[in-house]
Amino acid sequence: MVIFRQLPLGVKAALAAGTVFVSMAISRSYLAESLELRAWRWLFRLQLALFANSLMLIGSLYIWRSAVSNLSHSPAAESACFQLWKMAVVTFLALAHSSFFTMLFLVAEEPYLFSLAAYSCLGAYIIMVFFLCTLSGMEQAYQLLAWRSGSAVSSLDKTRKLALRPALAVVVTAVLSIVGLLNAAQPPAVKTVEVPIHQLPPSMDHLKIVLLSDIHLGPTVGRTKMEMFVRMVNMLQPDVTVIVGDLCDSEASILRTAVAPLGQLHSRLGTYFVTGNHEYYTSDVSNWFALLESLNVRPLHNENVKISATQAQRDGGGKDDAWICLAGVDDIEADLLHYSGHGMDLVKALEGCSPDHTTILLAHQPLAAKRALQARPDINLILSGHTHAGQIFPLNVAAYLLNPFFAGLYQVAQTTFVYVSPGTAYYGIPMRLGSRAEITELILQRAP
């Protein structure tokens, strides 16, 4: 205990995050079956919130040291303006840390103002940490060059630099946050993509599939946005509409009215859904499946449907061979979470989908798309989401590096394509920087 007290606060925060992570693994292995489902959902989300906040403490300490502690010895430290500045920084950090807890207490048909403010501060927090680190690195490089050239940095210069760094970071953060908020507030762009499909039946040439992903109904996305998405999709007059996961961030009973507009979707050959990782975070997948089916949205739970030019059915493709196989797999994170009865099962999902027919696979994560192509390279088209195209800078870089496919259309082989949606809305943070929300209109064209 004495040694722990002597550790720096940043190390303590890292140890706290590690402890919470271990507790998540233990509770998932030993408590999931013994706890009542509602209690288990609440415990799991609380652990996620505590884990995120433990990691954020490291960045918060850095922001406080850069923006407050380093300036506390300056002549202006006793002024009323500096005291107001300290209160502003405390409020900003408190709101950012509270964002993850809104998932527990503040989810309804429409977002609460507090949730929008808290997640906006979280976005600004991420931008500020990045630019403070960048400016600090530039300063260290300057000092190294000054030392190598033999020039000294005066104490006055050091004092100015201590104030200049947080001032620049605040200005850049404010500007980028406003740009990001305005960008995310716009309706998603409608992007039309033509995809050549091998073995596409002549009767299904120019079949129109509208792709939605990562809507994230929850603390900052509600019924109003869902109604807008449905109107935009219906204007496109799709033959098929697909939702490739991360539709929700809370239980079906809480978001029932928020998701209700999906029942107004008009797709000639049906609307289909596969799970994303966030559906499993809700621990309420079976209720979501039931709710979606009541809205005429068919979940593809490691299964497929045969779609012809006039109808869709689970078994067989009609009397002729003029059909395509639309298959869907559970998100790969269901396996990591040991979610009972769920997990990516490509063999089951593609049962009856022969290489002689066009096969389209819905798989939430690009990593799942990569695994599917390794096992079944004859798949013609895979539709994914998950990456959000990074959503905000600098997370774009991490999303690009961590996923085999980032955003847009990829031709993997002569007759194989992968399309990754950047998302129809956003997750939590109501910002978009370096990315744009999108509704994708895919036109399938018959290739020789």
Side-chain angles (χ1 to χ4, degrees):
M1 182 62 69
V2 175
I3 296 176
F4 181 78
R5 289 176 180 174
Q6 295 174 346
L7 293 174
L9 287 175
V11 176
K12 290 179 181 178
L15 288 173
T19 302
V20 175
F21 183 80
V22 171
S23 75
M24 291 171 65
I26 293 174
S27 63
R28 188 71 203 181
S29 301
Y30 298 103
L31 296 179
E33 296 181 0
S34 60
L35 285 177
E36 191 265 333
L37 184 58
R38 182 180 294 272
W40 163 244
R41 290 174 189 162
W42 194 88
L43 174 63
F44 183 66
R45 290 189 196 168
L46 178 62
Q47 288 173 323
L48 283 176
L50 290 174
F51 177 69
N53 273 270
S54 299
L55 290 177
M56 285 178 63
L57 274 175
I58 301 172
S60 296
L61 291 169
Y62 183 61
I63 290 176
W64 183 261
R65 185 171 65 248
S66 301
V68 177
S69 298
N70 288 346
L71 304 177
S72 59
H73 302 295
S74 66
E78 300 301 324
S79 67
C81 289
F82 187 74
Q83 301 306 314
L84 289 173
W85 170 245
K86 288 171 65 175
M87 291 176 60
V89 173
V90 169
T91 303
F92 167 72
L93 293 176
L95 280 171
H97 277 270
S98 68
S99 58
F100 289 97
F101 292 102
T102 64
M103 203 80 70
L104 290 168
F105 308 109
L106 293 178
V107 178
E109 178 180 332
E110 295 290 356
Y112 288 94
L113 182 60
F114 181 87
S115 299
L116 291 168
Y119 272 101
S120 297
C121 287
L122 177 62
Y125 165 96
I126 293 170
I127 297 169
M128 179 172 279
V129 168
F130 174 79
F131 278 101
L132 280 173
C133 291
T134 300
L135 292 171
S136 179
M138 293 172 62
E139 183 183 335
Q140 294 296 325
Y142 169 76
Q143 290 178 350
L144 178 62
L145 291 173
W147 175 77
R148 293 189 65 176
S149 63
S151 58
V153 181
S154 68
S155 58
L156 180 60
D157 288 339
K158 290 180 179 178
T159 302
R160 287 176 176 172
K161 286 189 178 73
L162 287 175
L164 184 61
R165 190 202 309 170
L168 283 173
V170 167
V171 170
V172 171
T173 298
V175 171
L176 292 182
S177 295
I178 292 171
V179 171
L181 288 167
L182 293 175
N183 189 20
Q186 297 181 64
V190 176
K191 183 177 180 181
T192 301
V193 180
E194 296 178 347
V195 185
I197 297 294
H198 184 61
Q199 296 175 329
L200 186 68
S203 61
M204 304 188 75
D205 194 16
H206 290 89
L207 185 79
K208 183 185 297 184
I209 299 177
V210 171
L211 170 63
L212 306 176
S213 78
D214 301 279
I215 293 174
H216 289 284
L217 286 170
T220 58
V221 179
R223 182 185 176 101
T224 299
K225 281 192 175 292
M226 179 60 78
E227 289 174 340
M228 176 181 65
F229 301 152
V230 169
R231 285 196 304 270
M232 293 179 70
V233 171
N234 287 339
M235 288 177 64
L236 297 174
Q237 298 181 325
D239 297 307
V240 177
T241 301
V242 296
I243 306 169
V244 291
D246 283 5
L247 171 65
C248 58
D249 282 312
S250 191
E251 293 99 327
S253 60
I254 295 174
L255 292 171
R256 179 177 297 274
T257 55
V259 78
L262 274 184
Q264 302 302 315
L265 269 177
H266 302 301
S267 301
R268 188 172 63 88
L269 299 174
T271 301
Y272 304 91
F273 169 82
V274 292
T275 53
N277 51 311
H278 282 254
E279 273 74 43
Y280 293 107
Y281 297 161
T282 71
S283 299
D284 196 32
V285 177
S286 59
N287 288 328
W288 270 109
F289 278 4
L291 177 56
L292 290 173
E293 286 176 341
S294 73
L295 298 171
N296 297 315
V297 178
R298 179 182 293 181
L300 294 179
H301 173 36
N302 291 321
E303 57 187 320
N304 64 74
V305 293
K306 309 301 189 298
I307 296 178
S308 68
T310 58
Q311 64 179 339
Q313 56 192 68
R314 290 185 185 273
D315 300 314
K319 296 180 180 179
D320 55 31
D321 284 338
W323 52 269
I324 65 174
C325 182
L326 179 66
V329 290
D330 295 346
D331 184 66
I332 54 178
E333 219 154 306
D335 295 305
L336 296 175
L337 294 171
H338 305 293
Y339 201 98
S340 178
H342 288 256
M344 180 177 174
D345 189 340
L346 187 66
V347 174
K348 182 181 177 183
L350 295 181
E351 186 176 353
C353 300
S354 71
D356 297 327
H357 289 86
T358 296
T359 299
I360 299 172
L361 179 68
L362 311 181
H364 175 65
Q365 297 196 38
L367 181 58
K370 179 181 178 181
R371 292 179 183 176
L373 289 175
Q374 290 171 341
R376 285 287 299 267
D378 57 291
I379 297 172
N380 299 94
L381 175 64
I382 300 181
L383 303 178
S384 298
H386 183 65
T387 68
H388 295 226
Q391 187 164 325
I392 65 169
F393 182 82
L395 301 183
N396 317 65
V397 178
Y400 179 82
L401 295 174
L402 293 174
N403 291 280
F405 308 106
F406 177 60
L409 185 66
Y410 295 81
Q411 184 170 2
V412 182
Q414 184 176 359
T415 60
T416 302
F417 293 86
V418 174
Y419 191 88
V420 181
S421 167
T424 307
Y426 44 76
Y427 171 55
I429 301 169
M431 294 183 188
R432 283 271 183 177
L433 275 176
S435 67
R436 177 74 187 275
E438 175 182 302
I439 292 175
T440 314
E441 181 186 43
L442 296 146
I443 309 297
L444 306 190
Q445 296 185 330
R446 192 165 184 261

